[in-house]
Amino acid sequence: MRKLLKPREREQMLGTAYAFPMGIWFTLFFTIPLGIIVLYSFLKRGLYGGVEWEFTLDAYKQMFNPSFGRVVIRTLWISVLATLGCILIAIPCGYAMAKSKYQTVLLFLIIIPFWTNSLIRIYAWISILSTEGFVNSLLIKLGLIDQGLKLIYNNGAVVLVLIYMYLPFAILPLFTTIDKFDFSLLDAARDLGASKLEAIIKVMFPNIKSGLSTAFIFTFIPIFGAYTVPLLVGGKDSTMIGNIIVDQVSKTRNWPLASAFSMVLTFISLVGVFWMLYNGKREQMQSKKTTQQSLEQNIKKHHLIRGEK
Amino acid sequence: MKGVEVTVEQVSRAYGDFKALDNVSVQIKKGEFFSLLGPSGCGKTTLLRIIAGFDYPDNGKVEFDGKDILPLAPDKRQSNTVFQTYALFPHLTVYENIAFPLRLKHVDKEEIDKKVKEYVHLVQLDDHITKKPSMLSGGQKQRVAIARALINEPRVLLLDEPLSALDAKLRQNLLVELDELHDKVGITFIYVTHDQSEALSVSDRIAVMNKGKVLQIGTPYEIYEAPATRFVAQFIGESNTFPCTVLSCEPYENEFMIKVDVPMLGGTVSVTDYDALEVGSKLDFTVRPEKVRITSTPPRSTNKELNTYKGIVDEPVYSGFQSKFYVRLDNEQKSIVKVFKQHTAFLDDGPEIDWRDTVYVSWTATDGYLVKDTDR
């Protein structure tokens, strides 16, 4: 006899069924490749690329090389700088958008750049920043300088273009949280004696914390793994971890080392994601506790009013 | 007195073509509970925001004890605000919300603790200091907002419809508490509301506003019993209002007895007024529904200035403590007169009145009044 399912069970079954295609896709094209990378990082390097099936920690040992160390440190400071730049620009942008009458238009403008290939957008920056580029010729025409400045092929250009590339990823989450922020709180803070800056730091920032952490994760992780930007607008001292991975795969053909560096990237990204999840969870727990407590209190009050125990 | 005198002089504020405040002047006394009353969009909140410093007038003066405060930023004024939505800081506990103004001033910890506890006690929230605002009920939130606004020891407390988000019963209780609090702290309260009963019950004086203008300033009694304009008469309480023309005006005791022609009532009505009125002037005749008597038989009265009309009950509305009758008069215009009637055996008004009954409505000359219609 066929067993009849309760609606709730049925829904759960359906949910699992619907998740199947997605699950298969992720297993095939995400989990398995990731597994391959993990595996390769523990194998011996093949002479002409590829790997030999022999367990070794060589790849991880090779990472502790001063020249790689410098690249890791550079990647870190460039990423931190570019992320901070993104967030510092994104906060006033998100604020202005939240307050604007033309929210949809502004949102649209932020999304438009995604319709163009990122390489083309980087080349556009090259033509803006190069020695005979837009900025330099403008400055020469205005008579401010005699000779073209060296604006490109250095770390400054890398940070600048990275900020440009990942700014929308910071603006969007910040805009959504600032949009939900109750601006009368700023009035209240001012009324109670806070200066404009104090009101923003002491009242607005704590209340848009979730947006700030999302913006940080959304920009820091991709910037940390960037390789086209340092390759195209960076100088010879702008190599980042992403470039090492590409070099090890395609030029030096040390696949285990490339895999080991990928593991480092993945690990750092995971730390970020877990931090965000933890923050979100904590806030949720707090509000859950809150509603539960107030519920219990209300029940108690109710009983009191009705003269029951 | 710890409060200040607040002077608002010829203040105007326009948003584009819309005149939010049009040449408004108000003089608020030290320690007074003063209400700004009017429908939404009348400019009362704009005026409050100008006094608080969140908005700036196009012209005019605002002074505290004769000192111009317009150049001061909100954080430099001796006023604090209780916001309509409370605007409690959601990331801080009740304690920290109330301590916020003191923390900004870098008052030392023990002093803060002492003062916060004092104000928490004042608003009876002693058991809730560790809670976040999201855990509080509406009434508790409102008390936190008040304590937070008072801890800076302002000399004016501005209240922007602080009770509008609460249910009716709670509102009544908090209103009484607010009045007691005002007596305790002794500072000037400026209370913005669109609810006439709130304003009438707690205010020392009320300014009735409409369309950016102050129509009348007076005690609740004056505002209710002697409204200056048709708008005030209709906004505060309920009124029967009909256009009329002055026919004659004669001295009567220490007032004037005025006969007016009221076409909608189909005849002449007697009404008294403190001022002599010019014959022929066009005014509005008004009488409050609770001053009209409704009876099944013509009222027997020796008072010759009694105005009596015959009509039919068009719609009785029972609301417990009283009934409201819409009486359609037996005349050409078929005008409606609203009447309130209490169900009290003591008044001996004869049999219960029901739908479609023929009734007599009557009122004395002293209970009606004449108002100017400035809105027309």
Side-chain angles (χ1 to χ4, degrees), chain B residues 167-186:
Chain B
D167 59 85
K169 203 89 187 178
L170 194 59
R171 214 179 316 183
Q172 279 307 315
N173 293 340
L174 280 169
L175 208 56
V176 175
E177 278 180 28
L178 210 56
D179 200 18
E180 281 171 2
L181 197 68
H182 173 247
D183 294 340
K184 253 187 242 172
V185 296

Side-chain angles (χ1 to χ4, degrees), chain A residues 209 276-287:
Chain A
K209 227 168 53 191
M276 193 168 82
L277 284 178
Y278 170 73
N279 265 350
K281 200 73 161 218
R282 209 179 47 185
E283 256 164 50
Q284 227 174 36
M285 292 269 280
Q286 265 175 359
S287 64

